């Protein structure tokens, strides 16, 4: 996988954080134009890079959370989302569910049901068994 | 449908094997015995019970030419059973294991067999004529966790193993005195000096981050297939220094075992209780084709079977009050043949380029025989 290393040096983490901030600004602008699906895709891209650093993971999560909460039409969103994003989206949904925050959980649960219909139980299994690429 | 016959033999079956002429089947009904049934005029009769092991029997293999049964059990032992007259006589094989044996397979020439164990080792056993017993040589290094399944390459030397450490490995099991060196003349381009060292790791495939099961070689030995517990199946072509790996993701529950019915068609069985067909297209790209047995058509209310609907109903509960009840289907019969996880799939008949018939056994205690005669798309090479 391009860009995945075990140990994250301080410089690299800073570079990632900067990239994420850049991404967040892009997401904000997409949301202003009501392009929620694009925003989600942007948020989900590149999340596997440097996955061992907690700060990077948190920063990625904040961006994805923003995009997830902005979604109103779940069916529409899933129809236009490429299947390659299903697995990573499922992982973030479970992260959302683990926060315990009511609005986040409601939204994640709503998306989880539709995503399971589309992607099947295999998608859930891949989240459960993947202990290496965690979000 | 591709199903020829369904037999309910016990409450639960851990493993099974067929006699060379396929008139008898041996299986372990989830205890420490092996039951052998013979088909007599359309009815199955129990003809032998092999009692020697102390714990669950996790693997059985019945050699086609020498008519020997090898069993491996959680009691860390393995027995080779020979038919003398009308009795099966066991010979203990000293495996030198300190954990359970999990799987066993005869080699293509039936002069060796491999046992995978929870002791992170693989035992290669061969017969020593002078002492009239089976000796085991251990491959101790390399595995970081239990060896869940083993499979022999057609050349009788290479052995593929899968393990709960997520990796699939290929070893050489060359034993001086058992394997003659000149046999390799035909494949001289493949055998190098490292092939001829016992326990040599030829290839290690690190494609999965979850437990791996069910490794098998294709009929030519060029391709390997194995499954992961993360609902993925891995295909590796040109196994060697530069293998070509493909990860195939699929929708449903994980698989436990696979079988190559031809060079480009694989059948996988597992927790969905329904065999899945995978095929490689002209470019060599593998993908899921279809299920083999009919799937129960789902009621419009929900996509989930009765065992899931209650759980998911609670999960999604708040927003959907009615989802629990109207999704309950007519209980047990889900329109598929097995009702519980299928954990083993065995070829019926000689090893060849094309397999027409195979049998599956599962935790529901059934052994089902399948025939691909009417499945045109699967009979092409």
């Amino acid at each position: 996988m391009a860009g995945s290393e075990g140990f994250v040096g301080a410089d690299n983490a800073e570079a990632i954080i900067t990239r994420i901030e850049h991404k967040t600004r892009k997401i904000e602008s997409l949301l202003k134009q009501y392009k929620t699906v694009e925003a989600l895709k942007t948020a989900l891209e590149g999340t596997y890079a440097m996955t061992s650093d907690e700060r990077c993971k948190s920063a990625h999560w904040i961006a994805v959370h923003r995009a997830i909460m902005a979604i109103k039409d779940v069916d529409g969103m899933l129809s236009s989302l490429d299947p390659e994003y299903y697995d990573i989206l499922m992982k973030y949904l479970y992260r959302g569910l683990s926060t315990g925050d009511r609005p986040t959980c409601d939204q994640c649960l709503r998306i989880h049901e539709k995503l399971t219909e589309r992607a099947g139980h295999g998608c859930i299994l891949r989240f459960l068994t993947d202990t290496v690429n965690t979000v | 449908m591709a199903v020829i016959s369904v037999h309910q033999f016990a409450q639960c079956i851990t493993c099974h094997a067929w006699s060379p002429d396929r008139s008898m089947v041996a299986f372990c009904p989830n205890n420490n015995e092996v039951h052998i049934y013979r088909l007599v005029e359309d009815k199955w009769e129990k003809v032998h019970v092999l009692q020697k092991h102390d714990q669950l029997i996790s693997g059985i293999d019945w050699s086609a030419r020498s008519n020997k049964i090898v069993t491996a059990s959680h009691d860390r032992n393995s027995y080779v059973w020979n038919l003398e007259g009308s009795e099966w006589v066991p010979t203990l094989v000293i495996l030198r294991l300190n954990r359970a044996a999990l799987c066993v397979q005869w080699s293509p020439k039936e002069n060796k067999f491999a046992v995978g164990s929870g002791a992170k080792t693989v035992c290669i056993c061969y017969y020593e004529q002078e002492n009239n017993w089976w000796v085991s040589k251990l491959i101790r290094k390399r595995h970081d966790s239990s060896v869940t399944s083993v499979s022999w390459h057609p050349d009788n030397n290479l052995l593929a193993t899968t393990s709960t450490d997520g990796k699939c490995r290929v070893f050489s099991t060359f034993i001086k005195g058992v394997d003659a060196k000149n046999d390799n003349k035909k494949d001289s381009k493949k055998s190098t000096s490292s092939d001829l060292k016992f326990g040599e790791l030829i290839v290690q495939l690190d494609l999965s981050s979850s437990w791996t099961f069910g490794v098998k070689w294709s009929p030519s030995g060029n391709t390997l297939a194995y499954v992961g517990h993360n609902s993925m199946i891995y295909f590796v072509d040109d196994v060697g220094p530069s293998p070509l790996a493909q990860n195939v993701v699929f929708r449903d529950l994980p698989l436990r075992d696979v079988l190559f019915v031809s060079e480009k068609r694989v059948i996988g069985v597992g927790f969905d209780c329904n065999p899945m067909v995978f095929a490689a297209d002209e470019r060599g790209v593998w993908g899921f084709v279809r299920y083999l047995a009919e799937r129960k058509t789902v009621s419009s209310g929900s996509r989930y079977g009765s065992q899931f609907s209650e759980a998911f109903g609670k999960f999604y509960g708040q927003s959907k009050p009615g989802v629990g009840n109207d999704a309950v289907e007519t209980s047990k019969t889900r329109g598929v043949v097995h009702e519980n996880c299928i954990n083993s799939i065995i070829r019926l008949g000689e090893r060849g380029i094309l397999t027409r018939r195979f049998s599956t056994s599962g935790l529901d205690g059934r052994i089902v025989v399948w025939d691909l005669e009417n499945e045109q798309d699967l009979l092409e090479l």
Side-chain angles (χ1 to χ4, degrees), chain B residues 80-303:
Chain B
V80 174
W81 304 78
N82 286 296
L83 188 61
E84 288 171 17
S86 60
E87 288 295 310
W88 285 94
V89 178
T91 311
L92 175 66
V93 182
I94 312 270
L95 294 174
R96 295 178 282 144
L97 290 178
N98 56 9
R99 291 289 185 279
L102 299 175
C103 50
V104 64
Q105 257 225 345
W106 283 108
S107 71
K109 288 212 184 99
E110 297 168 13
N111 55 357
K112 298 187 280 193
F113 62 89
V115 179
S117 79
K120 311 184 204 175
T121 57
V122 181
C123 314
I124 309 294
C125 306
Y126 59 97
Y127 188 65
E128 223 174 50
Q129 188 68 44
E130 312 86 60
N131 297 323
N132 190 25
W133 69 349
W134 292 84
V135 181
S136 93
K137 274 190 92 161
L138 272 68
I139 300 179
R140 271 188 219 279
K141 299 188 215 162
R142 302 302 185 169
H143 289 103
D144 295 320
S145 190
S146 302
V147 178
T148 53
S149 123
V150 291
S151 179
W152 290 91
H153 186 279
D155 71 1
N156 208 58
N157 180 26
L158 296 178
L159 182 78
T161 66
T162 50
S163 164
T164 45
D165 66 4
K167 302 187 186 29
C168 172
R169 298 174 176 85
V170 178
F171 293 93
S172 160
T173 63
F174 180 81
I175 298 178
K176 239 167 52 166
V178 180
D179 300 304
K181 274 194 195 164
N182 6 337
D183 280 353
N184 285 334
K185 260 211 193 121
K186 271 187 292 179
D187 310 295
S188 56
K189 60 177 150 66
K190 275 212 168 116
S191 75
T192 61
S193 55
S194 70
D195 276 8
L196 301 184
K197 189 167 173 252
F198 180 84
E200 188 76 20
L201 179 69
I202 309 288
V203 151
Q204 176 166 298
L205 301 160
D206 192 3
L207 301 171
S208 178
S209 57
S210 66
W211 299 347
T212 51
F213 298 96
V215 63
K216 288 279 174 8
W217 295 89
S218 68
S220 70
N222 187 48
T223 310
L224 256 187
Y226 65 100
V227 295
H229 209 51
N230 53 356
S231 292
M232 284 177 76
I233 180 168
Y234 304 94
F235 295 97
V236 186
D237 291 308
D238 301 324
V239 181
S242 49
L244 194 68
Q246 288 178 50
N247 305 356
V248 176
V249 158
F250 54 86
R251 278 185 60 90
D252 296 293
L253 299 175
L255 298 174
R256 286 306 300 274
D257 202 3
V258 294
L259 177 73
F260 273 90
V261 294
S262 73
E263 195 64 29
K264 298 216 177 290
R265 305 270 187 284
V266 164
I267 308 244
V269 290
F271 291 94
D272 265 312
C273 318
N274 196 342
M276 288 186 189
V277 182
F278 296 87
D281 62 16
E282 324 76 48
R283 293 169 301 155
V285 177
W286 288 87
F288 172 70
V289 177
R290 61 183 172 89
Y291 281 94
L292 204 53
E294 278 148 27
R295 302 207 85 191
K296 181 147 178 69
T297 49
V298 181
S299 59
S300 55
S302 158
R303 285 183 67 89

